[in-house]
Amino acid sequence: EQPQQNILKHIGQYAYNLNSLLGKGYSSSVYKGTQKVTQEPAQSLMKAAIKVIVLQSVRGDIPRGLLSNELRALKQLSHGNVIRTHDICQTANNMYIVSEFCNQGDLLGVLRKGLTEEQAYDLSDDCRRHGVRQLKGIVHRDIKPANILLRDSVAKICDFGFCGFLQNQQQSFIAENFSVGSPLYMSPEAYRRNHYSVKSDVWAAGITLYEMLIDSNRSKDELRHVGEISYGGTQVSEGRGLHTLSTFE
């Protein structure tokens, strides 16, 4: 086989290789990249994760509103258990979100290798007691193992593409025209009534801890069983997405 050709893209002081894909979503891709850091008397390169959002695919009021929420959340959040955003750039075609690079990947990959009970509780503390608590008026709405990254064994909540905001000290809100999230991790009120609050994230973090504590080979079946009890017998799937209300009627 011929070696893959390096295809480098540059955005200001940042660069990424199209062959260094870390993850992919509907309208975005995340690449392992670098950032030039000036340290006298020389320059060095710092690893970074670069999320590339294709603006042409962000059409309609709902996707544009979600992107606006994501950018707003990333700009205001600063905590050791939440992914750190270094910069946000935009060109005519793309939006670029430059974040810290997490050297151990996501929790989903770690789960497949297995965790001790102590490791599971430590990571749950990072996510639930520290990360979720620091969101302060932001409801993530899609906490799950794939959206928890690990850097030097510290868990960091990432991917705020579905987040919403609590307004004027309100305790919850209802998404009137659509529902977002991953059904296996959604609280019953979010799944059935599009009703979101901080408790929605606490529920998802609890389901994530449950998944860490049980055998990974049977975790999805166990989670479906928990979900079907919680949702009154409704069958649930693993898929993540943005749904209109009719999906759940």
Side-chain angles (χ1 to χ4, degrees):
E1 295 183 4
Q2 292 183 344
Q4 285 186 320
Q5 182 181 1
N6 286 333
I7 306 173
L8 288 175
K9 296 284 186 178
H10 294 269
I11 318 100
Q13 62 183 319
Y14 310 106
Y16 63 95
N17 189 328
L18 288 179
N19 292 323
S20 298
L21 183 67
L22 298 175
K24 190 174 181 65
Y26 170 71
S27 62
S28 64
S29 301
V30 182
Y31 299 91
K32 181 179 178 180
T34 57
Q35 175 185 359
K36 290 181 182 178
V37 179
T38 301
Q39 294 177 329
E40 297 296 338
Q43 279 191 339
S44 62
L45 295 178
M46 182 176 70
K47 291 180 182 177
I50 301 178
K51 182 176 182 177
V52 183
I53 302 169
V54 181
L55 294 176
Q56 189 176 8
S57 65
V58 185
R59 297 176 177 174
D61 292 340
I62 292 174
R64 283 197 294 266
L66 290 172
L67 177 57
S68 176
N69 282 352
E70 178 178 14
L71 299 178
R72 177 183 167 192
L74 294 176
K75 288 175 181 177
Q76 74 179 57
L77 288 169
S78 177
H79 187 267
N81 295 117
V82 177
I83 196 73
R84 180 183 304 159
T85 302
H86 297 313
D87 201 359
I88 297 173
C89 317
Q90 184 173 342
T91 63
N93 298 318
N94 299 322
M95 178 80 69
Y96 300 90
I97 300 174
V98 183
S99 305
E100 64 179 309
F101 176 73
C102 292
N103 57 344
Q104 292 172 288
D106 62 33
L107 179 57
L108 185 61
V110 174
L111 273 174
R112 291 175 178 142
K113 300 174 185 176
L115 288 168
T116 66
E117 185 173 318
E118 182 180 3
Q119 288 173 324
Y121 280 115
D122 285 346
L123 292 173
S124 179
D125 276 352
D126 283 351
C127 176
R128 178 178 52 85
R129 292 182 58 211
H130 304 303
V132 170
R133 182 177 293 177
Q134 295 301 318
L135 298 187
K136 293 181 179 177
I138 301 170
V139 183
H140 185 283
R141 297 200 290 184
D142 199 26
I143 288 178
K144 61 181 180 180
N147 287 338
I148 300 171
L149 299 178
L150 279 80
R151 179 172 182 172
D152 300 328
S153 299
V154 175
K156 295 172 180 282
I157 299 172
C158 71
D159 194 350
F160 285 78
F162 283 165
C163 77
F165 285 80
L166 298 171
Q167 305 293 338
N168 301 321
Q169 298 183 340
Q170 66 183 146
Q171 299 300 309
S172 63
F173 63 91
I174 295 175
E176 295 183 356
N177 298 313
F178 64 97
S179 175
V180 297
S182 301
L184 285 180
Y185 302 89
M186 292 171 72
S187 65
E189 62 271 21
Y191 187 87
R192 302 182 69 169
R193 297 188 284 113
N194 302 336
H195 193 168
Y196 299 93
S197 69
V198 174
K199 294 177 182 179
S200 308
D201 288 344
V202 173
W203 172 281
I207 293 293
T208 298
L209 172 60
Y210 181 78
E211 188 172 5
M212 286 191 278
L213 291 173
I214 63 178
D215 188 296
S216 60
N217 292 326
R218 61 187 177 90
S219 62
K220 294 303 181 188
D221 288 336
E222 292 274 0
L223 291 182
R224 286 193 191 92
H225 180 63
V226 171
E228 286 163 12
I229 293 173
S230 303
Y231 309 146
T234 305
Q235 289 189 339
V236 294
S237 62
E238 295 180 41
R240 170 193 196 254
L242 166 66
H243 310 283
T244 61
L245 280 179
S246 60
T247 306
F248 296 97
E249 290 175 348

